[in-house]
Coordinates of all heavy atoms in Angstrom, one line a residue:
G332 N -7.8 28.4 9.8 CA -7.6 27.1 10.5 C -8.0 25.9 9.7 O -8.1 26.0 8.4
L333 N -8.2 24.8 10.3 CA -8.5 23.5 9.7 C -9.9 23.1 10.2 O -10.2 23.0 11.4 CB -7.5 22.5 10.1 CG -7.7 21.1 9.6 CD1 -7.7 21.0 8.1 CD2 -6.7 20.1 10.2
D334 N -10.8 22.9 9.2 CA -12.1 22.4 9.5 C -13.0 23.5 10.2 O -14.1 23.1 10.7 CB -12.1 21.1 10.4 CG -11.5 20.0 9.7 OD1 -11.5 20.0 8.4 OD2 -11.0 19.1 10.3
G335 N -12.6 24.7 10.2 CA -13.4 25.8 10.8 C -14.4 26.3 9.7 O -14.3 26.0 8.5
P336 N -15.3 27.2 10.2 CA -16.3 27.8 9.2 C -15.6 28.6 8.1 O -16.2 28.8 7.1 CB -17.2 28.6 10.1 CG -16.3 28.9 11.4 CD -15.5 27.7 11.6
D337 N -14.4 29.2 8.4 CA -13.8 30.0 7.4 C -12.6 29.4 6.8 O -11.8 30.0 6.0 CB -13.3 31.4 8.1 CG -14.5 32.1 8.6 OD1 -15.6 32.2 8.0 OD2 -14.4 32.7 9.7
S338 N -12.4 28.1 7.1 CA -11.2 27.4 6.6 C -11.3 27.0 5.1 O -12.4 26.7 4.7 CB -10.9 26.2 7.4 OG -9.7 25.5 6.9
R339 N -10.2 27.1 4.4 CA -10.2 26.7 3.0 C -9.8 25.3 2.8 O -9.8 24.7 1.7 CB -9.3 27.6 2.2 CG -9.8 29.1 2.1 CD -8.8 30.0 1.5 NE -8.5 29.6 0.1 CZ -7.6 30.2 -0.6 NH1 -6.8 31.2 -0.1 NH2 -7.4 29.8 -1.9
V340 N -9.4 24.6 3.9 CA -9.0 23.2 3.8 C -9.8 22.4 4.9 O -9.9 22.9 6.1 CB -7.5 22.9 3.9 CG1 -6.8 23.5 2.7 CG2 -6.9 23.6 5.2
R341 N -10.2 21.2 4.6 CA -10.9 20.4 5.6 C -10.3 19.0 5.5 O -10.1 18.5 4.4 CB -12.4 20.4 5.3 CG -13.0 21.8 5.4 CD -14.5 21.8 5.1 NE -15.1 23.1 5.2 CZ -15.4 23.8 6.3 NH1 -15.2 23.2 7.5 NH2 -15.8 25.0 6.2
S342 N -10.1 18.4 6.6 CA -9.5 17.1 6.7 C -10.5 16.0 6.3 O -11.6 15.9 6.9 CB -8.9 16.8 8.0 OG -8.3 15.5 8.0
M343 N -10.2 15.2 5.3 CA -11.0 14.0 5.0 C -10.5 12.8 5.8 O -11.2 11.8 5.8 CB -10.9 13.7 3.5 CG -11.3 14.8 2.6 SD -11.0 14.5 0.8 CE -12.1 13.1 0.5
T344 N -9.4 12.9 6.4 CA -8.8 11.8 7.1 C -9.2 11.9 8.6 O -9.2 13.0 9.2 CB -7.2 11.9 7.1 OG1 -6.8 12.0 5.7 CG2 -6.6 10.7 7.8
P345 N -9.6 10.8 9.2 CA -10.1 10.8 10.6 C -9.0 11.3 11.5 O -7.8 11.0 11.3 CB -10.5 9.3 10.8 CG -10.8 8.8 9.5 CD -9.8 9.4 8.6
Y346 N -9.4 11.9 12.6 CA -8.5 12.4 13.6 C -8.1 11.2 14.5 O -7.0 11.1 15.1 CB -9.0 13.5 14.4 CG -9.0 14.8 13.6 CD1 -10.1 15.2 12.9 CD2 -7.9 15.7 13.7 CE1 -10.1 16.4 12.2 CE2 -7.9 16.9 12.9 CZ -9.0 17.2 12.2 OH -9.0 18.4 11.5
A347 N -9.1 10.3 14.7 CA -8.8 9.2 15.6 C -7.7 8.3 15.1 O -7.7 7.9 14.0 CB -10.1 8.4 15.8
H348 N -6.7 7.9 16.0 CA -5.6 7.1 15.5 C -6.0 5.8 15.0 O -5.4 5.3 14.0 CB -4.6 6.9 16.7 CG -3.8 8.2 17.0 ND1 -2.9 8.2 18.0 CD2 -3.8 9.4 16.5 CE1 -2.3 9.4 18.0 NE2 -2.9 10.1 17.1
G349 N -7.0 5.2 15.6 CA -7.4 3.9 15.1 C -8.1 3.8 13.8 O -8.4 2.8 13.2
E350 N -8.4 5.0 13.2 CA -9.1 5.1 12.0 C -8.2 5.8 10.9 O -8.7 6.2 9.8 CB -10.4 5.9 12.1 CG -11.4 5.2 13.1 CD -12.6 6.0 13.3 OE1 -12.8 7.0 12.6 OE2 -13.4 5.7 14.2
R351 N -7.0 6.0 11.2 CA -6.1 6.8 10.3 C -5.0 5.9 9.8 O -4.3 5.2 10.5 CB -5.5 7.9 11.1 CG -4.7 8.9 10.2 CD -3.8 9.9 11.0 NE -4.6 10.5 12.0 CZ -4.1 11.3 13.0 NH1 -2.7 11.3 13.1 NH2 -4.8 11.8 13.9
G352 N -4.7 6.0 8.4 CA -3.6 5.3 7.8 C -2.3 6.2 8.0 O -2.1 6.8 9.1
S353 N -1.5 6.3 6.9 CA -0.3 7.1 7.0 C -0.3 8.2 6.0 O 0.7 8.6 5.5 CB 0.9 6.2 6.9 OG 2.1 6.9 7.4
Q354 N -1.5 8.7 5.8 CA -1.6 9.9 4.9 C -2.6 10.8 5.4 O -3.5 10.5 6.2 CB -2.0 9.5 3.4 CG -3.5 9.1 3.3 CD -3.9 8.8 1.9 OE1 -3.2 8.0 1.2 NE2 -5.0 9.4 1.4
I355 N -2.5 12.1 5.0 CA -3.6 13.1 5.3 C -4.1 13.6 4.0 O -3.4 14.0 3.1 CB -3.0 14.3 6.1 CG1 -2.4 13.8 7.5 CG2 -4.0 15.3 6.3 CD1 -3.5 13.2 8.4
A356 N -5.4 13.6 3.9 CA -6.1 14.1 2.7 C -6.9 15.3 3.1 O -7.7 15.3 4.1 CB -7.1 13.0 2.1
L357 N -6.6 16.4 2.4 CA -7.3 17.7 2.7 C -8.2 18.0 1.5 O -7.7 18.0 0.4 CB -6.3 18.8 3.0 CG -5.3 18.6 4.1 CD1 -4.4 19.8 4.2 CD2 -6.1 18.4 5.4
R358 N -9.4 18.3 1.8 CA -10.3 18.8 0.7 C -10.2 20.3 0.6 O -10.2 21.1 1.6 CB -11.8 18.5 1.1 CG -12.8 19.0 0.0 CD -14.0 18.2 0.0 NE -13.9 17.0 -0.8 CZ -14.5 15.8 -0.6 NH1 -15.3 15.6 0.4 NH2 -14.3 14.8 -1.4
C359 N -9.9 20.8 -0.7 CA -9.6 22.2 -0.9 C -10.2 22.5 -2.3 O -9.9 21.8 -3.3 CB -8.1 22.4 -0.9 SG -7.6 24.1 -1.4
A360 N -11.0 23.5 -2.4 CA -11.7 23.9 -3.7 C -10.7 24.2 -4.7 O -10.9 24.0 -5.9 CB -12.7 25.0 -3.5
E361 N -9.5 24.8 -4.3 CA -8.5 25.2 -5.3 C -7.3 24.2 -5.4 O -6.2 24.5 -5.7 CB -7.9 26.6 -4.9 CG -9.0 27.6 -4.7 CD -9.7 27.6 -3.3 OE1 -9.1 27.0 -2.4 OE2 -10.8 28.1 -3.2
A362 N -7.6 22.9 -5.1 CA -6.6 21.9 -5.0 C -5.6 21.9 -6.2 O -4.4 21.8 -5.9 CB -7.2 20.5 -4.8
P363 N -6.0 21.9 -7.4 CA -5.0 21.8 -8.5 C -4.0 22.9 -8.5 O -2.8 22.7 -8.6 CB -5.9 21.9 -9.8 CG -7.2 21.3 -9.4 CD -7.4 21.8 -8.0
A364 N -4.5 24.2 -8.3 CA -3.5 25.3 -8.2 C -2.7 25.2 -7.0 O -1.5 25.6 -7.0 CB -4.3 26.6 -8.2
V365 N -3.3 24.8 -5.9 CA -2.5 24.7 -4.6 C -1.4 23.7 -4.7 O -0.3 23.9 -4.3 CB -3.5 24.4 -3.4 CG1 -2.7 24.1 -2.2 CG2 -4.4 25.6 -3.2
M366 N -1.7 22.5 -5.2 CA -0.7 21.5 -5.3 C 0.4 21.9 -6.3 O 1.6 21.7 -6.0 CB -1.3 20.1 -5.8 CG -0.3 19.0 -5.8 SD 0.6 18.7 -4.2 CE -0.7 18.2 -3.2
A367 N 0.1 22.6 -7.4 CA 1.1 23.1 -8.3 C 2.0 24.1 -7.6 O 3.2 24.1 -7.8 CB 0.4 23.8 -9.5

Side-chain angles (χ1 to χ4, degrees):
L333 177 63
D334 295 335
D337 300 319
S338 179
R339 292 172 63 187
V340 292
R341 300 180 183 279
S342 180
M343 300 173 68
T344 306
Y346 287 91
H348 284 183
E350 299 176 8
R351 187 193 308 169
S353 199
Q354 75 177 50
I355 297 296
L357 302 178
R358 177 153 277 150
C359 174
E361 305 82 21
V365 170
M366 184 54 68

